[in-house]
Amino acid sequence: MSSLRHPLVQVAVALALTATWVGLLVTGTEVGTVATVAISGFAVLGASFLLAWGAETAEKDVPRAFAIAVLAILAVAPEYAVDALYAWNAGAGGATAEACSQLSAQAVEAGETQLARACHDANLAIANMTGANRILIGLGWAGIAVFTVMRAASTRDTAVLNRDGFLNDAVQLDTDIAMEISFLFLATCWAFLVPLGGGIGALDTLFLVGLYVTYIGLVLKSDIEQSEHTVGVPRYFQEWSLPWRPIVVLLLFGYSGAMIFTAVEPFAHGLEEIGINNGIPEFFMIQWVAPLASESPELIVVAVLVNKARSTAGFNALISSKLNQWTLLIGTIAVVYSIALGGYGVLPFDARQGAEIWITAGQSFFALAILVNFEISIREAVVLFVLFISQVLLEFALIRDLVELPLSSHDLLLAYTAVYLVAGAALFAYRRRALKRLFGLAGDAVRTAFGREPVYVEQAD
């Protein structure tokens, strides 16, 4: 092995990418916005590699799904921090549903008073959360599917299915993720009910956080499986003996998590500032650019896994990220809001943000209909991306008065929600046998976790 390709040299290179950012943190040095974006961006890149290596190394000692769940939480931790900040400001400013309803939409948008700004922050918490969730599917799921197929010629990924027909090549997922998909399906169904309550309250928190805790509890009962595709840095560390191997995993997780948590927020806000200075509205930047920055570690990690012909692990990470954002993120921001408020409260949002939640749930519903047969083709990935990007571009055009449409921005969201729901329902109906198989496999996974015999019998679709 060449000394330059030694695993420890690769780790040193990843650490070097974070070194300048660590220097800025330690010395308290401040640099310009562009320099901050560049330095923090390199730190996120280096930390993402360390995080991916830590998760793969951990598979030697803990269930793979649990290692990926930890990876997903660490990778999207900055998204939690950004949303928690807005939720805290909303609670501290006294933004209740009753108080915010007394203000005009224009006053809230402009932040004319402290209360108006607090109500605006409550809306921003929802906007940031829904933007992050839609980016994860519209760019993440779709982009990684295309990237997996494109890299298959080099990686020899056996999960890629080459088929005749236009854009018909597909990525086949492992049926072991049936439980993750099923839990995400339950969370998605609940999300449709959230806007009907006029805010995010205790019931939402109990159900969604309880759903994720149940999922993690089941995952911890899973068997440890050794991967045959582990190479490079993770393979090197997996050969270390106890207790050094788990110590390395903890160090990789701890350091990468700290780097991601500290670097992504300045990275995202630097991009926001650059965009706002160039005439892009604050709301648009917070809903789309900031979440895109905060999701970047997750996408980099998954790209690393795909590049190692571990596309199933990559998609498992994406699904796990979507699940924890769609459950923990929604549930915990309501708790943060109540703490800042000084008592129990329901995190309020306006009708526009209610529509944002519905379109996000609709997109998730349609994406799950695509994955229900444990496959995603290039054609399906393109549809996911086109629906996502077309809505974002149309919304931007409406905000900037670049086009005139016979419907408002709110109505546009509802129209796309309807498209997602109709397409998803039709696809679920067409794949009803695959849906039955999905729930059957998920049920068996739960039974196995409790030491019971599986009862579902595989049937050909």
Side-chain angles (χ1 to χ4, degrees), residues 88 90-94 96 334-345:
W88 180 273
T96 63
V335 174
V336 171
Y337 164 79
S338 291
I339 293 173
L341 187 66
Y344 171 71

Side-chain angles (χ1 to χ4, degrees), residues 15-98:
L15 289 172
L17 291 174
T18 70
T20 305
W21 177 250
V22 172
L24 293 182
L25 289 178
V26 172
T27 61
T29 304
E30 295 185 5
V31 295
T33 302
V34 175
T36 298
V37 169
I39 294 170
S40 59
F42 278 118
V44 169
L45 178 63
S48 298
F49 278 97
L50 295 173
L51 181 58
W53 293 333
E56 287 190 89
T57 303
E59 292 178 8
K60 177 83 171 183
D61 302 297
V62 300
R64 184 179 307 164
F66 179 71
I68 289 176
V70 173
L71 178 155
I73 291 175
L74 291 176
V76 300
E79 181 60 36
Y80 283 73
V82 172
D83 259 345
L85 175 62
Y86 288 126
W88 180 273
N89 290 341
T96 63
E98 181 179 358

Side-chain angles (χ1 to χ4, degrees), residues 164-403:
D164 295 332
F166 181 66
L167 300 179
N168 206 30
D169 291 346
V171 180
Q172 186 173 43
L173 308 182
D174 199 310
T175 56
D176 286 346
I177 64 174
M179 187 167 63
E180 284 82 354
I181 295 176
S182 298
F183 270 83
L184 183 53
F185 183 85
L186 292 175
T188 297
C189 291
W190 184 270
F192 283 108
L193 305 176
V194 173
L196 301 180
I200 302 176
L203 190 59
D204 300 310
T205 297
L206 289 173
F207 179 84
L208 293 172
V209 174
L211 194 66
Y212 192 76
V213 170
T214 301
Y215 162 69
I216 290 297
L218 292 171
V219 163
L220 283 172
K221 291 177 175 290
S222 303
D223 294 330
I224 297 175
E225 301 176 13
Q226 300 302 322
S227 173
E228 298 178 357
H229 302 286
T230 305
V231 295
V233 175
R235 179 66 176 270
Y236 175 76
F237 284 136
Q238 282 186 354
E239 292 175 352
W240 286 23
S241 60
L242 297 175
W244 303 111
R245 186 172 60 245
I247 289 175
V248 167
V249 170
L250 292 175
L251 287 174
L252 289 173
F253 274 157
Y255 185 80
S256 62
M259 287 299 97
I260 289 171
F261 191 79
T262 58
V264 168
E265 189 271 341
F267 180 54
H269 281 290
L271 290 175
E272 284 179 35
E273 186 176 337
I274 292 172
I276 293 171
N277 290 340
N278 285 277
I280 300 177
E282 176 195 23
F283 196 91
F284 188 88
M285 294 296 296
I286 289 173
Q287 183 171 33
W288 298 118
V289 176
L292 181 59
S294 63
E295 295 291 345
S296 59
E298 175 69 13
L299 299 181
I300 294 170
V301 167
V302 174
V304 170
L305 292 173
V306 168
N307 211 42
K308 295 181 177 182
R310 298 201 61 196
S311 54
T312 295
F315 268 97
N316 200 345
L318 288 174
I319 293 169
S320 185
S321 290
K322 173 66 178 178
L323 178 59
N324 76 53
Q325 286 188 183
W326 214 208
T327 53
L328 280 183
L329 182 56
I330 298 177
T332 53
I333 60 174
V335 174
V336 171
Y337 164 79
S338 291
I339 293 173
L341 187 66
Y344 171 71
V346 176
L347 177 64
F349 49 80
D350 59 20
R352 163 65 186 274
Q353 298 314 310
E356 294 280 4
I357 293 176
W358 273 328
I359 188 177
T360 307
Q363 183 204 46
S364 180
F365 181 76
F366 176 59
L368 290 173
I370 289 175
L371 292 188
V372 72
N373 63 347
F374 300 100
E375 288 183 14
I376 178 170
S377 69
I378 298 299
R379 186 184 305 163
E380 291 166 337
V382 169
V383 171
L384 268 180
F385 174 75
V386 169
L387 284 173
F388 165 75
I389 201 66
S390 62
Q391 182 268 318
V392 174
L393 293 177
L394 281 175
E395 183 178 0
F396 179 76
L398 285 173
I399 292 174
R400 299 300 302 271
D401 294 323
L402 299 178
V403 297

